[in-house]
Amino acid sequence: MDTVSTIPPNIRAADAARAGAPAEQQTADGKAPGREPTPHTGSLFRRMMFIAAGWISILLLVGGVALDRTLAGLIEKNFDDQLEYMLTAMIGTAEIGPDGEVFFNRPLGDQRFLEPNSGLYWQITGDGHEDFPSRSLWDRSLKVDRDQGHKAHFYNSNQFAGEPLRVIERSIVLPGSTTRWWFTVAAARDGLDEQIAQIRSILLWSFVVLGLGLFVLATLQTWYGLVPLRRVRRAIQHMRTTGTNCVTDPLPAEVQPMVEELNALLAHNEKQAEEARTHAGNLAHALKTPLTVVTNAANAHAPDLAETVLREAKVMRRQVDHHLARARAVGRRAAGQARANVWDSANAVERAVSRLYEESRFDVAGNRAAIVAIERQDLDEILGNLLENAAKYGGGSVFLTVDTEPTAPLCTITVEDDGPGIPLAERTRMFDRGARLDTGKPGTGLGLAIVRDVVEIYGGAVSLDDSEDLGGMMVSLRLPRAAV
């Protein structure tokens, strides 16, 4: 039982050209012509160090500025609170004398108010009255900012040369007076600025040391973190130099999953290479005999040379078709995650085959949502071979059932006919290349062999059984389901 391949000649020719063409021409030095070497972009370690240094610098800069603003603000607030306390004490002890002038009912407690140019000053100013200053002002006076409101306000002043001041000022009307008086307290900023400068110096050096420490730690962490990758590189180098096909050196647990994936990839490539060598050897062996027959007939000047060439050419064509089908299936399987809807493929193939066998009746039933992990083109070729065999060797009725057991791990597809069937002793042999029972009908004997090979490439299986419904042969095709 078999069928002639339904693949168009132009597609087969293109596949043959692809299969026979070298993957890439190389020059004597092992490099591909016309391909420039990839420019060196720097080691991973240097790039990680630059990134770490950049982030550490940014974070320390932002943190340093924020901390500087916070500490400087706290120091300045503490300084302002002291000035405000003195201003409140001034207002609390101020009274209006009989002559309308301001006086204190008790002296202020800070001795610096009595020392000339001590750096701490107060002054009371009222319209139409002489200024009432502290002895520390001596022959100087404070300028009053009369544009501000009645609430206490702070500002910096440079009215004394070489002595920047921090000033608090408030206007108030004292009991027994209609005059608005401005109470002013000023203190030299030298101590305040010195404290802020000292804090900033401590912050600067602390953050420099912290940044250097973090950079050193990041360097050490990165260096030791890349040690497993360097060990993997040495293991791969050892594997390449010794000719082994897997990484066997003991490696850290952090890179073990990557090593396992690498070994799986190497095993997969080795398997594909072995399959390619096997296909090439099988094809060479299959073509050797027909070529020998043709050569011998040509050397002997046989009178039936033309018939011999045609006959042996057909044999070689069948072998080429068979191995090309396997090569295409292997290539498509390795290309990615394959998915195909069985119902759509079955209906498409049924419509094509029914045009070739108009006298046969085809019925398709089963699960419309079954999805298998196989390329649609390969599934079409498999079902096409099975339906053509059933129509060619059956009695006129062909049943195709999709997913006979929807809950099973594998999707089972059955093709039944009402033909004479195949004896049990011959069923295993029918999957061999060129095996045929009915030689009176045209065919190549490769249909079931191609079906078996392609199905096994995708991890499935195929078997022959008796059809209970039609009495003929039933082909059971089991394919892995596609992941949801």
Side-chain angles (χ1 to χ4, degrees), residues 139-462:
D139 59 349
R140 298 178 295 183
S141 63
L142 296 173
K143 296 179 182 179
V144 179
D145 185 5
R146 298 173 183 264
D147 297 331
Q148 297 296 329
H150 304 321
K151 294 183 179 180
H153 63 280
F154 296 89
Y155 61 93
N156 296 322
S157 173
N158 294 316
Q159 55 187 286
F160 293 169
E163 188 180 13
L165 301 176
R166 181 69 173 170
V167 182
I168 180 173
E169 187 177 278
R170 181 181 178 184
S171 64
I172 191 171
V173 177
L174 294 174
S177 174
T178 60
T179 303
R180 178 164 294 279
W181 301 91
W182 276 267
F183 288 77
T184 306
V185 178
R189 289 184 54 93
D190 296 342
L192 174 63
D193 293 338
E194 183 179 352
Q195 291 182 29
I196 293 177
Q198 186 177 5
I199 289 294
R200 287 176 175 170
S201 177
I202 295 174
L203 284 177
L204 176 62
W205 287 108
S206 299
F207 274 72
V208 168
V209 173
L210 178 61
L212 291 176
L214 290 176
F215 183 75
V216 171
L217 290 178
T219 302
L220 293 176
Q221 183 181 17
T222 304
W223 176 263
Y224 285 107
L226 293 177
V227 167
L229 294 181
R230 289 194 290 272
R231 293 183 60 183
V232 171
R233 178 182 62 82
R234 290 193 293 268
I236 294 175
Q237 183 181 17
H238 175 74
M239 178 188 67
R240 177 173 55 84
T241 55
T242 57
T244 57
N245 58 356
C246 64
V247 178
T248 57
D249 298 349
L251 295 171
E254 292 80 5
V255 297
Q256 193 59 38
M258 181 183 70
V259 174
E260 293 175 357
E261 291 295 329
L262 176 62
N263 287 336
L265 177 61
L266 293 172
H268 176 72
N269 291 339
E270 180 66 22
K271 181 179 179 181
Q272 284 194 318
E274 183 61 30
E275 289 179 354
R277 289 192 292 268
T278 301
H279 294 336
N282 291 340
L283 181 57
H285 181 76
L287 297 180
K288 183 177 180 180
T289 300
L291 287 174
T292 302
V293 173
V294 172
T295 301
N296 292 338
N299 291 332
H301 302 285
D304 60 343
L305 178 60
E307 291 80 2
T308 301
V309 171
L310 290 176
R311 183 182 67 251
E312 298 302 326
K314 291 180 179 179
V315 174
M316 289 188 286
R317 178 62 176 275
R318 292 198 301 268
Q319 299 297 336
V320 170
D321 288 344
H322 172 72
H323 287 282
L324 280 179
R326 288 180 57 90
R328 284 194 301 271
V330 171
R332 284 192 286 265
R333 179 196 63 183
Q337 295 293 332
R339 296 173 63 88
N341 184 287
V342 182
W343 183 265
D344 295 341
S345 177
N347 279 276
V349 172
E350 184 271 331
R351 288 192 297 268
V353 176
S354 63
R355 296 190 184 97
L356 300 176
Y357 300 90
E358 297 180 352
E359 70 282 0
S360 298
R361 181 174 65 89
F362 296 88
D363 290 327
V364 179
N367 182 11
R368 296 172 178 262
I371 306 294
V372 292
I374 183 174
E375 288 289 341
R376 171 66 183 270
Q377 183 176 349
D378 292 328
L379 182 59
D380 289 349
E381 185 169 4
I382 292 171
L383 296 180
N385 276 291
L386 296 181
L387 287 179
E388 286 194 51
N389 279 343
K392 183 188 300 183
Y393 298 103
S397 296
V398 179
F399 286 177
L400 189 153
T401 307
V402 178
D403 203 7
T404 57
E405 299 178 7
T407 59
L410 297 177
C411 177
T412 302
I413 306 166
T414 59
V415 178
E416 304 174 69
D417 62 60
D418 57 348
I422 301 176
L424 183 61
E426 299 289 337
R427 292 178 183 175
T428 302
R429 187 177 68 85
M430 294 310 300
F431 290 105
D432 296 336
R433 287 174 295 186
R436 300 173 63 196
L437 287 182
D438 188 354
T439 58
K441 295 184 180 182
T444 62
L446 291 174
L448 287 178
I450 292 176
V451 169
R452 181 199 60 187
D453 289 346
V454 175
V455 168
E456 290 180 351
I457 286 172
Y458 283 100
V462 61

Side-chain angles (χ1 to χ4, degrees), residues 92-131:
T93 59
E95 293 184 5
I96 302 297
D99 55 355
E101 297 295 335
V102 176
F103 73 97
F104 292 143
N105 56 25
R106 63 178 180 273
L108 297 179
D110 200 315
Q111 184 65 25
R112 290 175 295 173
F113 287 131
L114 303 177
E115 299 174 3
N117 303 320
S118 64
L120 183 62
Y121 317 104
W122 58 260
Q123 180 177 293
I124 302 175
T125 304
D127 294 335
H129 298 270
E130 292 184 2
D131 294 341

